[in-house]
Structure formats: C-alpha cells, structure tokens
Amino acid sequence: MSDAIQRVNELRQALNYHNYRYYVENSPEISDIEFDRLMRELQELETAYPELDDPLSPTHRVGSDLSKGFEQARHIYPMLSLGNTYSIDEIDEWVNRTSNSLGGQQFSIVGEMKFDGTSISLIYEHGRLVRAVTRGDGEKGDVVTNNIKAIRSIPLTLQGEGWPEKFEIRGEIVLPWKEFDELNERRAFNEEPLFANPRNAAAGTLKTLDPSEVSRRGLDAYFYYMLGEDLPASCHYDNMAEARKWGFKVSDAMKRLNTVEEVEKYIKYWDKARKDLPVATDGLVFKVDSLRQQLNLGFTAKSPRWAVAYKFAAERALTRLQFVSFEVGRMGIITPVANLEPVKLSGTVVKRASLHNEDIIRQLDIHDHDMLYVEKGGEIIPKIVDVDISSRQTDAKKVKFVSHCPACGSPLCRIEGEAAWVCPNRYACPPQIVGRIEHFVGRRMMNIDGIGEETAQALYDNGLIKDIADLYSLDAQSLLTLDGFGNRSAERVLEGLEASRQVPFERVVFALSIPFVGDTTAKKVARAARDIDTLMGMTIEQLCAIEDVGIKIAESITEYFSSPVNREIVRRLKDAGLQMSMPEDTAAYEHSDVLGGKAIVISGTFTHHSRDEYKSMIEQYGGRNVSSISKKTDYVLAGENMGPAKLEKAANLNIPIIDEDTFLKMSGK
Ligand code: IVH
C-alpha cells in the first residue's frame, strides 16, 4: 500500500508537470503515448485503491492552456478530451461496449482525422462569428476572436442558408506542414527558438498578441463538431455536411462507416495515406453518428462515451550514440548533434539527429554511448526522444556541452534568457564566415549559380576568399586551382557572379546576414530606406518606424552597420557593382492583377526560374500560391518530376496543369 501511495504521488506530480509543459509552455518533453501511459497507470491505481482518489488528481481534469493577456470566457458546453486507443483490438472493444450500452441497437460510426493542432470553439449568431475561445482548462478559455479573424479559411459570415440562429462549432487550428517549415526556416535564420512540431507552432501562434503575425504565419482550421439547440440534422455526419455548405472547412476524409470491417479498412487506409495530407494528424477519431444515440451514451468526467480516438504509432527506432558533435552556425550558435549508428526509420537511414541545445541534453540525461530512441513524428528532422537507461554502460559519463568554440577556441557566451550558447568571434570564426558565404550565394539571396555549400567551403579553405565581398575578385585562373574545377564550372561561377550584380537591393540586404533580418524584414527595410547609405545611417527610432521592425531588429541593424568590418564589406560590394539602391522606377516591384486572384499550386522543379521566384511572381501578379490541390485550385504550375499523387489528384478534379512557359505568358512576361 505504501508503495502505491508513493507511486500515485509520483505519477500525479509527473502528469501535472507534463500538462504544464504541453498546454502552457507549448513545449512537451514526452510523447503523447508516454503521457497516456502515465495517465493510465494512475487511473488503474486510483481504481484499485479508491481511498487514494483525490478530486484534484490529474485524472479528474483536462489540461489547461490559459495564458495571460487574453480575456477569458466560460464555455457553454465544457470542452472535453477523447479517450485514446492504440490498436484495432481496442477499437473493437469500444464498438462492443457502445453496442451493449445501446442495448444492441444498430448504429453508424463516423470516421475522421484527428488533426494535430489546437482546439477552438467558435460561436455564431445570425450567421456571424461573435466569439472564438481556446479550450483553456475545459471550463473556460481565452477569447482569441481577433486572431481567429486573421485565419482566412474561417468564415466570418456564413454562406448559404439553414444555419441555426445561434450555434457553436468546434475544430482544430492547424499550421500546415509547408507553412510550418517556412516558419521554422525564418526562425532559424533569425536565430529564434524553433517550434518542435506544427501543433506547438499553431498553439503558440494563436496566443500571440499580434493578429498580423497570425495572418502571416498561415494558420488553417478544420471543423469536426457542432453543438446547439436546433441543429439542422439529427446526425453528426449530416450536420458537418451542412457546415461545409456554410463555408467551414470540413475534411473530405470524414466517412460514415457501418461495420467493424469498414472501420478496420478505414484505419489501415489512413495509417498510410495521412502522410500525404498537407497538415499533421496524430490519429483518427470515431464517433457515433446519431445525435440521439450520442445523448443516450453520454459522457464520463473527461470524455464522451460516444467518441474515441485511435492514435497512430510514431515511428521510432533504437540505436547507439557514437558521439556528440558541436556545430557552429552562421550566427555563431552552437548546435549539439547526436551522431548515431545508422538505423532505418520511415524508409530513410538516420545517422544524425539534432539535440538542439544544452537544456535538451540535460533533460534527456544523455551519457556516452547510450542507446537512444529516435523518432520521426512527421517532422522532417529526426529527433531523440528518449534514452534506454537499462542498456547504459556502468562507467558511462554524462555528455558535456563544450565550453569553447570547437572551431576557433573562443570561450562561448550564453545569451541571457536563451538556451543557446554562442561563439562571439563573429568575424574570425571560420564556420561563421563560411556560413555567411553560403547564405549570400543561396538561391533566395544572390542566387550565384555554381557555388554551393562545398564550393563555398573550398574557396575559403584554399584562401581564395575570406568574406562575401572577396567573391567579386575571383577570376578563372584562381577558380581553376580548386579540386574538380574545369573551364566549364569556373565559367558558371563567373556568370553567376555577373548576374548577381542585377539582384535587387532588397535581396542584397537579406544576403548580408544581418541577425534577425529575414527576407520579409529585408524587403521592408530596403523599401523604406531606398539605398544603402541611408540604411547605414538610420537611427533606432527611424528603423522602429518601419512596419514590422521592433527594437530587437532595429538594434541588430545599427549594431551590424556600426562594425567597421561590415562597413568595409558593404563598401567593397558597392564598388563591385551590386544594386545598393531601389530603382528609380519601382514599377517592377509593383503588383499587377493579371492573375485575378487565381489559386495556383506549384509542383516539381523548373528551368527558367526557381520555385521561390515563381511563388513571388504569383503573388506579384495578383494570384494566390496555395500549398495543396483542392476543388478550389485554379491551376497547377508543374515543372519536372511532379509527384504522381498530385498529378492524379489534379486530373481527378479536372484542374488545368500548366508549364512554366504558359505561366510566364499568362503573367504577361
Ligand atoms: S471531437 C468531446 N474530432 O483532439 C470531444 N476532436 O483529444 C470533442 N481533435 O480536444 C472532440 N481532431 O482538439 C474531435 N476530428 C476530431 C478531432 C478532435 C482533433 C482534438 C481536439 C480535442 C482533442 C481530444
């Protein structure tokens, strides 16, 4: 008994902590499966020892995501969670239980995706959105109506007819994979902490106090539950079909299922097919269709009896840590990387996984040569999620973070309040210099053909260049001294350098690697300053007056240009003939409307321009670049190697597929 008391206390403490990490910090330390395992163990102990039950036990509540800065509102109907299952057997058990509770009545089940985002409750009155509230602690949540209005796929006023005078609709706010990757790319560039997964990014975005930031990040929403007094239909499936007509995004994956066999087939199909969806899902949800039967089945304290979640297993593998390397980024940030014995995971061989920062190494308590669990929960970069302590060698030492830069030996600094260690030797630390060169020549910056990561490194290692401005002094003779370089490759580099002299000023500003200045900020700053001399002379106040430039970015810009090294680099780039001002005639940057709001999906690789260039062109000429093919897509701009799944989808929906020449003609180019 005393063992049980101790374990119950441990479990409650652990679950409270992980609830907080998940809902408040948006930064979970353990997987959902692990969390559910702890919760189940606690539930079992509380059932076995009812005298240990406590009304404040984590088993009696749903997690809280309440945060400061938002007004709160009480939910009309509490927002509960779903019971989880992990196997078809458990689903079969739920079906049997439900059948028994319904006294053997026939019933249909609706199968749908379990979207991995953050839940939202919307209230509509007279066809107009009046309030949006997060789940919060299940009883009351944060009012985030203004942020919700920034999500374009959510109807603010309803289409069609037949909506009740007042009703509630619930759904999931998600950040599609593409937007998630772009957001993290921008954050990596700006040296901001990355979001671990789209769920955290969606939750974090919804809680920002700036609706324009919400709008920029590209959140989306799928709806799956309607509540109210006078709903249009007597079953869930039909209500959702109505909601679709009123303008809500309801997933096409939603399906009515009539037998256990159909349920099993649905699970088997979506276990694979979900990988092609544009958004993250972590399972499926099965619901009893009839609202009358739902009412009969009712709720437990935490979840409805009429619905259950089936969680997909995240693919994970166990492998041995060979060593931890410490890598220096363009901005001097030190990233620990786990070098692993190669192991196969979701079809690819994993050899390395980022350990992000010192805090993560400490949390996981990694020791030399530990056996590590690597997971690919849909994220592109595999991550280390756990350690198998039982196979640790007895004399193994804890992995220690380096105190000095592994490249230049400088003592590292830790930025106050942040997890990252940084090498302060900005102008002489080789990987930082090479990183800046790689960035400068990159496709979205100066787009210098012929210089990739390897060539940038070789140019630096061979002493041919020591900063970005040196690139413009390269000649064929020096290039030919590089390993593997012939006339053709040297020519390509020189042509690329020549072409880069025409790259617009705003991209030159982005290419300079000014900390916290990403492509969007660079554009705004360049357009406001109009030329480099003005930009270099701007004060913090003047910079802060530019849209989206806050004090952190302004300080970073003034600091960058106060360095004599940077001023000299800029002077030499100017002498080399780069565009250092906005053209007199800015018509080239002005937007036309020839594409008239058409939704265009880009797929494959192109010859005349890069994908990013086509993306900007679509927007510049008044179209909309969308990430996935749907009924609403107007064209698919297809290059080479367009995926067969996309091709098939476009063909099925009769969406015209155009090539780049056609697109350029359409845009009047
Ligand atoms: S129904 C009373 N349907 O999963 C329960 N929830 O673990 C109503 N979720 O809080 C929820 N996709 O945030 C439902 N198709 C779906 C869902 C879904 C994702 C989320 C939702 C809920 C959580 C429960």
Side-chain angles (χ1 to χ4, degrees), residues 89-103:
D89 285 349
E90 285 180 278
I91 289 287
D92 285 349
E93 277 169 32
W94 173 77
V95 173
N96 289 335
R97 225 172 26 242
T98 307
S99 172
N100 289 339
S101 306
L102 290 173

PDB file of all heavy atoms in Angstrom, residues 89-103:
ATOM      1  N   ASP A  89      -7.765  -3.765 -31.876  1.00  0.00           N
ATOM      2  CA  ASP A  89      -8.473  -4.521 -30.832  1.00  0.00           C
ATOM      3  C   ASP A  89      -9.194  -3.591 -29.870  1.00  0.00           C
ATOM      4  O   ASP A  89     -10.330  -3.836 -29.483  1.00  0.00           O
ATOM      5  CB  ASP A  89      -7.483  -5.386 -30.028  1.00  0.00           C
ATOM      6  CG  ASP A  89      -7.055  -6.600 -30.838  1.00  0.00           C
ATOM      7  OD1 ASP A  89      -7.688  -6.839 -31.892  1.00  0.00           O
ATOM      8  OD2 ASP A  89      -6.089  -7.277 -30.428  1.00  0.00           O
ATOM      9  N   GLU A  90      -8.503  -2.529 -29.489  1.00  0.00           N
ATOM     10  CA  GLU A  90      -9.132  -1.595 -28.544  1.00  0.00           C
ATOM     11  C   GLU A  90     -10.333  -0.893 -29.180  1.00  0.00           C
ATOM     12  O   GLU A  90     -11.300  -0.584 -28.500  1.00  0.00           O
ATOM     13  CB  GLU A  90      -8.113  -0.552 -28.075  1.00  0.00           C
ATOM     14  CG  GLU A  90      -7.116  -1.093 -27.067  1.00  0.00           C
ATOM     15  CD  GLU A  90      -6.129  -0.015 -26.645  1.00  0.00           C
ATOM     16  OE1 GLU A  90      -5.150   0.214 -27.381  1.00  0.00           O
ATOM     17  OE2 GLU A  90      -6.366   0.614 -25.602  1.00  0.00           O
ATOM     18  N   ILE A  91     -10.244  -0.637 -30.480  1.00  0.00           N
ATOM     19  CA  ILE A  91     -11.381  -0.024 -31.183  1.00  0.00           C
ATOM     20  C   ILE A  91     -12.554  -1.013 -31.197  1.00  0.00           C
ATOM     21  O   ILE A  91     -13.694  -0.646 -30.937  1.00  0.00           O
ATOM     22  CB  ILE A  91     -10.989   0.382 -32.630  1.00  0.00           C
ATOM     23  CG1 ILE A  91     -10.042   1.581 -32.604  1.00  0.00           C
ATOM     24  CG2 ILE A  91     -12.202   0.676 -33.498  1.00  0.00           C
ATOM     25  CD1 ILE A  91     -10.701   2.894 -32.230  1.00  0.00           C
ATOM     26  N   ASP A  92     -12.229  -2.293 -31.463  1.00  0.00           N
ATOM     27  CA  ASP A  92     -13.278  -3.325 -31.447  1.00  0.00           C
ATOM     28  C   ASP A  92     -13.974  -3.356 -30.084  1.00  0.00           C
ATOM     29  O   ASP A  92     -15.190  -3.445 -29.993  1.00  0.00           O
ATOM     30  CB  ASP A  92     -12.682  -4.713 -31.733  1.00  0.00           C
ATOM     31  CG  ASP A  92     -12.333  -4.859 -33.213  1.00  0.00           C
ATOM     32  OD1 ASP A  92     -12.752  -3.980 -34.002  1.00  0.00           O
ATOM     33  OD2 ASP A  92     -11.646  -5.828 -33.569  1.00  0.00           O
ATOM     34  N   GLU A  93     -13.139  -3.242 -29.027  1.00  0.00           N
ATOM     35  CA  GLU A  93     -13.722  -3.249 -27.667  1.00  0.00           C
ATOM     36  C   GLU A  93     -14.671  -2.075 -27.494  1.00  0.00           C
ATOM     37  O   GLU A  93     -15.746  -2.214 -26.926  1.00  0.00           O
ATOM     38  CB  GLU A  93     -12.615  -3.121 -26.612  1.00  0.00           C
ATOM     39  CG  GLU A  93     -11.950  -4.428 -26.267  1.00  0.00           C
ATOM     40  CD  GLU A  93     -10.696  -4.191 -25.434  1.00  0.00           C
ATOM     41  OE1 GLU A  93     -10.671  -3.207 -24.658  1.00  0.00           O
ATOM     42  OE2 GLU A  93      -9.741  -4.975 -25.591  1.00  0.00           O
ATOM     43  N   TRP A  94     -14.247  -0.903 -27.997  1.00  0.00           N
ATOM     44  CA  TRP A  94     -15.109   0.298 -27.867  1.00  0.00           C
ATOM     45  C   TRP A  94     -16.432   0.096 -28.629  1.00  0.00           C
ATOM     46  O   TRP A  94     -17.499   0.423 -28.119  1.00  0.00           O
ATOM     47  CB  TRP A  94     -14.357   1.535 -28.382  1.00  0.00           C
ATOM     48  CG  TRP A  94     -15.228   2.763 -28.450  1.00  0.00           C
ATOM     49  CD1 TRP A  94     -15.622   3.540 -27.399  1.00  0.00           C
ATOM     50  CD2 TRP A  94     -15.827   3.337 -29.621  1.00  0.00           C
ATOM     51  NE1 TRP A  94     -16.434   4.563 -27.844  1.00  0.00           N
ATOM     52  CE2 TRP A  94     -16.571   4.469 -29.202  1.00  0.00           C
ATOM     53  CE3 TRP A  94     -15.810   3.011 -30.977  1.00  0.00           C
ATOM     54  CZ2 TRP A  94     -17.289   5.264 -30.093  1.00  0.00           C
ATOM     55  CZ3 TRP A  94     -16.527   3.813 -31.863  1.00  0.00           C
ATOM     56  CH2 TRP A  94     -17.257   4.924 -31.416  1.00  0.00           C
ATOM     57  N   VAL A  95     -16.322  -0.513 -29.806  1.00  0.00           N
ATOM     58  CA  VAL A  95     -17.536  -0.752 -30.599  1.00  0.00           C
ATOM     59  C   VAL A  95     -18.472  -1.694 -29.825  1.00  0.00           C
ATOM     60  O   VAL A  95     -19.679  -1.429 -29.704  1.00  0.00           O
ATOM     61  CB  VAL A  95     -17.190  -1.333 -31.994  1.00  0.00           C
ATOM     62  CG1 VAL A  95     -18.445  -1.753 -32.750  1.00  0.00           C
ATOM     63  CG2 VAL A  95     -16.408  -0.316 -32.819  1.00  0.00           C
ATOM     64  N   ASN A  96     -17.902  -2.747 -29.238  1.00  0.00           N
ATOM     65  CA  ASN A  96     -18.739  -3.700 -28.479  1.00  0.00           C
ATOM     66  C   ASN A  96     -19.382  -3.042 -27.269  1.00  0.00           C
ATOM     67  O   ASN A  96     -20.566  -3.235 -26.989  1.00  0.00           O
ATOM     68  CB  ASN A  96     -17.903  -4.901 -28.007  1.00  0.00           C
ATOM     69  CG  ASN A  96     -17.536  -5.783 -29.196  1.00  0.00           C
ATOM     70  OD1 ASN A  96     -18.244  -5.766 -30.214  1.00  0.00           O
ATOM     71  ND2 ASN A  96     -16.439  -6.515 -29.094  1.00  0.00           N
ATOM     72  N   ARG A  97     -18.560  -2.263 -26.561  1.00  0.00           N
ATOM     73  CA  ARG A  97     -19.072  -1.571 -25.370  1.00  0.00           C
ATOM     74  C   ARG A  97     -20.232  -0.659 -25.756  1.00  0.00           C
ATOM     75  O   ARG A  97     -21.270  -0.641 -25.116  1.00  0.00           O
ATOM     76  CB  ARG A  97     -17.930  -0.723 -24.800  1.00  0.00           C
ATOM     77  CG  ARG A  97     -17.813  -0.846 -23.315  1.00  0.00           C
ATOM     78  CD  ARG A  97     -16.594  -0.205 -22.686  1.00  0.00           C
ATOM     79  NE  ARG A  97     -15.965   0.904 -23.359  1.00  0.00           N
ATOM     80  CZ  ARG A  97     -14.710   0.874 -23.815  1.00  0.00           C
ATOM     81  NH1 ARG A  97     -13.991  -0.237 -23.721  1.00  0.00           N
ATOM     82  NH2 ARG A  97     -14.176   1.934 -24.374  1.00  0.00           N
ATOM     83  N   THR A  98     -20.038   0.073 -26.858  1.00  0.00           N
ATOM     84  CA  THR A  98     -21.060   1.022 -27.306  1.00  0.00           C
ATOM     85  C   THR A  98     -22.335   0.276 -27.679  1.00  0.00           C
ATOM     86  O   THR A  98     -23.437   0.681 -27.319  1.00  0.00           O
ATOM     87  CB  THR A  98     -20.526   1.819 -28.518  1.00  0.00           C
ATOM     88  OG1 THR A  98     -19.264   2.369 -28.147  1.00  0.00           O
ATOM     89  CG2 THR A  98     -21.446   2.932 -28.923  1.00  0.00           C
ATOM     90  N   SER A  99     -22.146  -0.835 -28.377  1.00  0.00           N
ATOM     91  CA  SER A  99     -23.298  -1.625 -28.798  1.00  0.00           C
ATOM     92  C   SER A  99     -24.079  -2.107 -27.568  1.00  0.00           C
ATOM     93  O   SER A  99     -25.305  -2.011 -27.519  1.00  0.00           O
ATOM     94  CB  SER A  99     -22.800  -2.790 -29.645  1.00  0.00           C
ATOM     95  OG  SER A  99     -23.842  -3.663 -29.909  1.00  0.00           O
ATOM     96  N   ASN A 100     -23.340  -2.583 -26.549  1.00  0.00           N
ATOM     97  CA  ASN A 100     -24.020  -3.048 -25.326  1.00  0.00           C
ATOM     98  C   ASN A 100     -24.764  -1.914 -24.658  1.00  0.00           C
ATOM     99  O   ASN A 100     -25.916  -2.074 -24.258  1.00  0.00           O
ATOM    100  CB  ASN A 100     -23.003  -3.629 -24.326  1.00  0.00           C
ATOM    101  CG  ASN A 100     -22.471  -4.958 -24.829  1.00  0.00           C
ATOM    102  OD1 ASN A 100     -23.114  -5.597 -25.673  1.00  0.00           O
ATOM    103  ND2 ASN A 100     -21.297  -5.367 -24.342  1.00  0.00           N
ATOM    104  N   SER A 101     -24.092  -0.754 -24.549  1.00  0.00           N
ATOM    105  CA  SER A 101     -24.743   0.385 -23.878  1.00  0.00           C
ATOM    106  C   SER A 101     -25.992   0.809 -24.612  1.00  0.00           C
ATOM    107  O   SER A 101     -26.916   1.351 -24.018  1.00  0.00           O
ATOM    108  CB  SER A 101     -23.807   1.583 -23.796  1.00  0.00           C
ATOM    109  OG  SER A 101     -22.603   1.209 -23.206  1.00  0.00           O
ATOM    110  N   LEU A 102     -26.005   0.588 -25.940  1.00  0.00           N
ATOM    111  CA  LEU A 102     -27.183   0.983 -26.725  1.00  0.00           C
ATOM    112  C   LEU A 102     -28.206  -0.161 -26.786  1.00  0.00           C
ATOM    113  O   LEU A 102     -29.139  -0.122 -27.593  1.00  0.00           O
ATOM    114  CB  LEU A 102     -26.775   1.386 -28.142  1.00  0.00           C
ATOM    115  CG  LEU A 102     -25.988   2.705 -28.277  1.00  0.00           C
ATOM    116  CD1 LEU A 102     -25.498   2.897 -29.700  1.00  0.00           C
ATOM    117  CD2 LEU A 102     -26.840   3.890 -27.860  1.00  0.00           C
ATOM    118  N   GLY A 103     -27.980  -1.153 -25.946  1.00  0.00           N
ATOM    119  CA  GLY A 103     -28.923  -2.275 -25.873  1.00  0.00           C
ATOM    120  C   GLY A 103     -29.032  -3.029 -27.188  1.00  0.00           C
ATOM    121  O   GLY A 103     -30.111  -3.505 -27.546  1.00  0.00           O
TER     122      GLY A 103
END
